[in-house]
């Protein structure tokens, strides 16, 4: 059976099925994290055999053909987070067919010495030899670097614990990241076949990593019987003509590895005494037969170890099979039966299904000629007298922009379209030339680079360039460049500093190494070329500056704590000045620190406007004269020596202008509330979109720009918006129905969403809700909602919407059930039903709930349905690569409005 690669924190109701399909055991936890007890129900077919409670929650179970349940539990949850009572214990349990406890082996858990790791023991799966009356519990190694699992052995019929077994690691000195993916009994024998993953760093062609597997057979005592090494098995796609695999082949390799890591390469049984493996690189199903050795003449341990022969008996071509077994499929079906009376699955409809009729769009603000300085995505120095940045608009094309220090536009240049979403960066090289790069998001991705000549307005791709995902760039004195890059893999990542020639060819490379001294890269965060021609590297864990020559030779290291005479907070960025550097110390009281060539602090400051308001800084750079420039994504702001803004290039937030709609809300009377992304001003309009008044958020209460803000409106017309500012994140600013600010102490701030027509309010958490009702005397009743109407836990709550009568709907995702659902509750928080959305809307869709209908948008598809999950209309929308529009149902007008991710134009549809 495949072994879980990492324990799951949320323990949902689940059904486990015996290998012959005759029995199923439902486990209903009393707590989301598996703390405490659970209710257990054993069935055969439709007949219920028993139902009872036990003071433990089994998080993984193997149900035998005799109806016995073998599993394990954590008294304080997998993470051991019950406060004030230690980490709890780990329990191995056997329930007999009548539900009575045959075994409850309890072991106290101890904290891990590794960051973010749960306490030990942590189980990684069960290996049950039912016909030979024993089972193993595989435990993860507490040492995450060593990765040597341990098997605890038990007898099923008596619950007796046998000696612990240490299976062989089968790792050589060059392999790393080896771990057991799957292990399975070999039918008709007491042997176990084990599938282990391996990688060999830098041992592939041209220094690439190799990904492979090792299969081995062990006996009941963990002794090795047979093994098979497939060193290149998960490097499936390759090109003989090119040592570097192209992006398409990398995607194929990743897909193969993900499938193998999910299900394992051990295929379902065909016959007794046989096992079947899948060899991925050669696309083969290979069958082996296990037989007792004819030479066995004694019963000594020595002869027992040599008492088996493993022989290949079949080798057939095969495409990558669906390795999930019928048992796994049946277990999922049985799990989905839990609460099925409250579940509705929305049917997938054809693309030519009836669609909503488009209406004319609404323009909320007069479009003015837009300054080229906006949507600043990546900010960079532009050489003497200039500044450069990359402008990025959601769903639009990236543009390189070059301006003078007086704000005069020098160049706007559209960058090429790239097939994958990624991070764009630029760096001045020399004269009129700039480097432009894009690093696709995801694992095992390679960056692409071009040289932009701003004088001839031409772009040349660097074909020889080969680099992982780029974190930062710096020019080198001869026109070449340095890149700080990170190679990201499925389970780890490695940083490195690379030097390149002007044509993009690699010159030198320094890889991250935790074992060496100050000359080694430990936790590099940013790089720059100093005025003296050295490459400075900022390390944000060691709080140090490292200096290298343009040829990659280590020169010296500066300890910032010693140089500054104080403890840095978390330095993350740096830039060059004529006499030193500026270091950005994230979340410090004064985050910008000027240092000299020896790293000694000269001054430090917090950027502020002339009136004392703090400037929200998304990025910073220095110009050739040493001035610090910061950006809030909308403008470029120059700071004087004290950190005060003395020049602005571009537009600043105007509370009286609506430039970009961050959110649209419509109350039950039809009044519109439109929030501006940059200023956070709430523009209140009537049903005809005529402005009534504005709720202006004070600059002291707000910084930055809004991202998916929470806006709430009461029945009385009072409105509040959730904003953030320095030292105070996620607080509500409240206004009266006429737009006047309402000042309340933080302890009396509104929290959550008010229910229309009720005295209720909902506060959302990641995996739960608090429903609060206030009576006439002011007394509050609070109810915590952790479960969906079908009894399954909320695992990830995305959004909550109210209907006008106080009923509410919760959009949530479930990893365990592999679904996204809308969960309906009445105005008193009583659960009603679950509507499971079709897969075509993807993850994290947007939705609205009103007048007993639902509008859902995901993957550029709009669905209109009733509360019985019946599809009424389906529209395909214009794709937006980065932001989904939000649907809003207009009360009493048979109209649906889509609020954009950018701009002030609203799309409308007529509702049937």
């Amino acid at each position: 059976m495949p072994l879980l690669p990492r324990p799951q924190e949320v323990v949902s109701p689940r059904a486990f099925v015996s290998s012959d399909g005759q029995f199923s055991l439902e486990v209903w936890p009393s707590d989301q994290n598996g703390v405490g007890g659970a209710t257990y129900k054993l069935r055969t077919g439709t007949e219920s055999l028993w139902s009872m409670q036990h003071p433990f929650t089994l998080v993984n179970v193997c149900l035998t053909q005799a109806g016995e349940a073998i599993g394990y539990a954590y008294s304080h949850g997998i993470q051991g987070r019950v406060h004030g009572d230690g980490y709890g214990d780990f329990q191995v349990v056997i329930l007999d067919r009548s539900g009575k406890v045959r075994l409850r082996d309890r072991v106290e858990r101890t904290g891990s010495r590794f960051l973010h790791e749960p306490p030990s023991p942590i189980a990684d799966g069960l290996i049950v030899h039912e016909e030979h009356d024993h089972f193993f519990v595989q435990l993860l190694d507490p040492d995450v670097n060593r990765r040597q699992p341990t098997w605890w052995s038990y007898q099923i019929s008596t619950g007796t614990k046998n000696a612990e077994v240490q299976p062989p690691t089968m790792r050589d000195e060059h392999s790393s990241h080896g771990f057991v993916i799957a292990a399975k009994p070999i039918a008709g024998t007491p042997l176990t076949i084990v599938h282990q993953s391996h990688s060999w760093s830098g041992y592939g062609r041209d220094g690439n990593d190799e990904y492979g597997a090792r299969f081995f057979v062990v006996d009941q005592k963990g002794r090795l019987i047979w093994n098979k090494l497939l060193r290149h098995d998960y490097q499936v796609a390759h090109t003989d003509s090119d040592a570097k695999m192209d992006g398409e082949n990398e995607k194929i390799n990743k897909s193969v590895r993900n499938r193998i890591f999910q299900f394992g390469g051990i295929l379902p049984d065909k016959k007794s005494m046989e096992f079947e493996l899948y060899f991925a690189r050669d696309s083969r199903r290979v069958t082996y037969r296990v037989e007792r050795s004819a030479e066995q003449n004694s019963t000594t341990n020595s002869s027992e170890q040599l008492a088996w022969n493993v022989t290949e008996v079949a080798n057939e071509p095969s495409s990558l099979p669906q390795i999930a077994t019928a048992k796994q499929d049946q277990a999922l079906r049985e799990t989905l039966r839990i609460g099925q009376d409250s579940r509705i699955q929305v049917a997938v409809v054809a693309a030519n299904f009836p669609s909503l009729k488009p209406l004319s769009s609404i323009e909320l603000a007069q479009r003015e000629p837009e300054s080229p300085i906006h949507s600043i995505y990546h900010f960079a120095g532009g050489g003497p007298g200039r500044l450069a940045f990359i402008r990025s608009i959601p769903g639009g094309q990236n543009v390189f922009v070059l301006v003078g220090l007086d704000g005069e536009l020098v160049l706007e240049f559209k960058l090429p379209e790239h097939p994958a979403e990624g991070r764009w960066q630029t760096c001045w090289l020399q004269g009129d030339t700039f480097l432009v790069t894009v690093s696709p998001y995801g694992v095992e991705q390679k960056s692409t680079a071009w040289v932009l000549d701003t004088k001839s307005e031409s772009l040349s791709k660097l074909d020889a360039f080969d680099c992982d995902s780029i974190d930062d760039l710096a020019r080198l004195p001869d026109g070449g460049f340095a890149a700080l890059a990170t190679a990201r893999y499925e389970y780890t990542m490695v940083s490195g500093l690379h030097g390149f020639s002007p044509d993009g060819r690699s010159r030198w490379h320094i890889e991250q190494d935790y074992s060496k001294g100050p000359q080694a890269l430990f936790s590099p965060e940013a790089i720059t070329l100093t005025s003296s021609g050295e490459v400075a590297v900022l390390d944000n864990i060691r709080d140090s500056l490292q200096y290298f020559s343009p040829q990659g030779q280590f020169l010296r290291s500066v300890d910032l704590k010693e140089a500054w005479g104080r403890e840095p907070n978390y330095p993350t960025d740096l830039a060059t000045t004529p006499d030193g550097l500026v270091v950005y110390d994230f979340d410090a009281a004064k985050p910008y620190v000027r240092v000299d060539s020896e790293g000694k602090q000269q001054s430090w400051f917090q950027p502020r406007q002339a009136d004392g308001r703090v400037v929200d800084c998304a990025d910073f750079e220095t110009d050739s004269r040493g001035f610090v420039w910061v950006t809030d994504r909308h403008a470029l702001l120059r700071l004087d020596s004290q950190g005060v803004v003395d020049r602005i290039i571009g537009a600043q937030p105007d509370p009286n202008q609506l430039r970009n709609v961050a959110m649209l809300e419509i109350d039950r009377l039809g009044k519109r509330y439109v929030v501006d992304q940059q200023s956070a001003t709430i523009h209140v309009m009537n049903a005809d979109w005529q402005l009534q008044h504005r709720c202006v958020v004070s600059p002291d209460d707000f910084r930055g720009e809004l991202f998916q803000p929470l806006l709430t409106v009461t029945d009385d017309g009072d409105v509040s918006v959730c904003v953030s500012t320095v030292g105070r994140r996620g607080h509500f600013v409240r206004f009266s129905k006429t737009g006047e600010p309402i000042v309340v102490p933080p302890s009396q701030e509104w929290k959550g969403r008010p229910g229309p027509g009720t005295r209720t309010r909902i506060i959302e958490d990641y995996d739960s809700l608090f429903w609060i009702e206030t009576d006439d005397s002011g007394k509050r009743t609070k109810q915590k909602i952790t479960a969906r109407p079908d009894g399954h836990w909320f695992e990830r709550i995305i959004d909550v919407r109210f209907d006008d009568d106080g009923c509410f709907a919760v959009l949530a995702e479930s990893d365990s059930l592999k679904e996204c659902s809308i969960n309906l509750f009445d105005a008193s928080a009583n659960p009603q039903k679950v509507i499971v959305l079709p897969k075509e809307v993807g993850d994290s869709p947007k939705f609205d709930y009103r007048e007993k209908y639902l509008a859902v948008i995901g993957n550029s598809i709009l669905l209109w349905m009733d509360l019985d999950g019946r599809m009424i209309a389906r529209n395909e929308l214009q794709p937006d690569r980065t932001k989904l529009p939000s649907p809003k149902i207009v009360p009493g007008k048979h109209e649906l409005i889509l609020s954009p991710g950018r701009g002030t134009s609203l799309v409308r549809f007529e509702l049937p």
Side-chain angles (χ1 to χ4, degrees), residues 706-852:
L706 295 176
F707 177 72
Q708 296 182 341
L710 174 60
L711 177 73
T712 66
V713 183
T714 68
D715 289 339
D716 296 329
D718 290 355
V719 60
S720 65
V721 62
C722 185
V723 296
S724 298
T725 187
V726 177
R728 193 179 179 198
R729 297 187 175 94
H731 68 283
F732 283 86
V733 180
R734 184 175 169 186
F735 299 89
S736 70
K737 62 182 179 181
T738 58
E740 299 298 322
I742 300 176
V743 180
V744 295
S747 61
Q748 298 178 22
E749 261 186 17
W750 282 356
K751 297 285 193 300
R753 307 170 190 257
T758 68
R759 291 183 171 224
T760 63
R761 184 171 294 275
I762 284 180
I763 300 175
E764 304 164 40
D765 203 349
Y766 181 79
D767 56 6
S768 61
L769 301 168
F770 287 96
W771 182 82
I772 303 170
E773 185 176 32
T774 305
D775 62 18
D776 292 338
S777 66
K779 181 181 177 181
R780 293 184 177 182
T781 302
K782 181 185 288 189
Q783 176 183 342
K784 185 176 182 180
I785 302 173
T786 58
R788 309 183 332 173
D790 62 359
H792 292 276
W793 299 121
F794 281 121
E795 295 181 28
R796 184 165 56 256
I797 292 173
I798 302 172
D799 197 8
V800 177
R801 305 297 303 171
F802 275 103
D803 203 345
D804 292 328
D805 59 1
C807 297
F808 60 94
V810 182
L811 179 66
E813 290 180 335
S814 170
D815 292 332
S816 60
L817 300 178
K818 300 178 176 58
E819 64 185 26
C820 184
S821 63
I822 295 176
N823 302 267
L824 303 178
F825 295 80
D826 68 15
S828 299
N830 297 310
Q832 301 299 300
K833 66 180 71 172
V834 178
I835 297 178
V836 181
L837 298 177
K839 301 292 185 184
E840 66 173 347
V841 300
D843 298 330
S844 301
K846 300 290 183 67
F847 90 115
D848 199 18
Y849 167 49
R850 197 165 226 155
E851 298 180 340
K852 308 309 177 186

Side-chain angles (χ1 to χ4, degrees), residues 130-150:
E130 186 173 349
E131 61 182 314
H132 287 83
D133 194 30
H134 78 273
F135 69 93
F136 298 116
V137 180
Q138 174 163 291
L139 302 176
L140 293 174
D141 192 339
D143 187 331
V144 298
N145 296 318
R146 185 176 55 193
R147 298 190 181 185
Q148 171 61 64
T150 299

Side-chain angles (χ1 to χ4, degrees), residues 53 77 115 127 130 190 266 269 331 446 521 587 596 614 623 742 749 751 783 785 815 822 839 907:
Q53 293 181 339
L115 190 64
I127 307 166
E130 186 173 349
I266 306 172
D269 290 330
K446 292 291 185 178
L521 295 182
D587 219 21
D596 62 18
V614 172
D623 63 24
I742 300 176
E749 261 186 17
K751 297 285 193 300
Q783 176 183 342
I785 302 173
D815 292 332
I822 295 176
K839 301 292 185 184
V907 177

Side-chain angles (χ1 to χ4, degrees), residues 314-373:
N315 191 318
E316 303 171 348
S318 172
S319 59
L320 185 62
Q322 180 59 48
I323 305 174
T325 64
K327 177 185 173 183
Q328 290 173 302
D329 293 338
Q330 184 180 356
L332 180 58
R333 288 195 301 270
E334 292 292 327
T335 296
L336 291 175
R337 285 182 57 176
I338 296 175
Q340 63 180 346
D341 293 340
S342 301
R343 292 167 53 87
I344 299 172
Q345 175 70 58
V346 177
V348 178
V349 298
N352 59 357
F353 196 75
S355 59
L356 298 178
K357 178 184 176 182
L359 300 173
S360 59
S361 61
I362 297 174
E363 187 60 58
L364 295 180
Q366 184 176 354
R367 302 300 293 173
E368 300 177 357
E370 195 166 31
S371 164
I373 302 174

Side-chain angles (χ1 to χ4, degrees), residues 606 614-616 700-703 724-729:
Q606 168 72 269
V614 172
V615 176
D616 182 65
D700 293 330
D701 278 325
F702 173 68
R703 62 176 294 184
S724 298
T725 187
V726 177
R728 193 179 179 198
R729 297 187 175 94

Side-chain angles (χ1 to χ4, degrees), residues 526-529 573-577 580-584 595 620-622:
I527 60 173
T528 191
L529 182 71
D573 203 359
L574 77 167
T576 298
T577 64
L581 301 169
V582 176
V583 178
Y584 177 68
V595 302
F620 89 102
E621 259 300 338
T622 54

Side-chain angles (χ1 to χ4, degrees), residues 67 158 450 492 507 656 662 703 797 823:
T158 64
W450 300 264
T492 189
R507 285 174 167 171
N656 296 315
R703 62 176 294 184
I797 292 173
N823 302 267

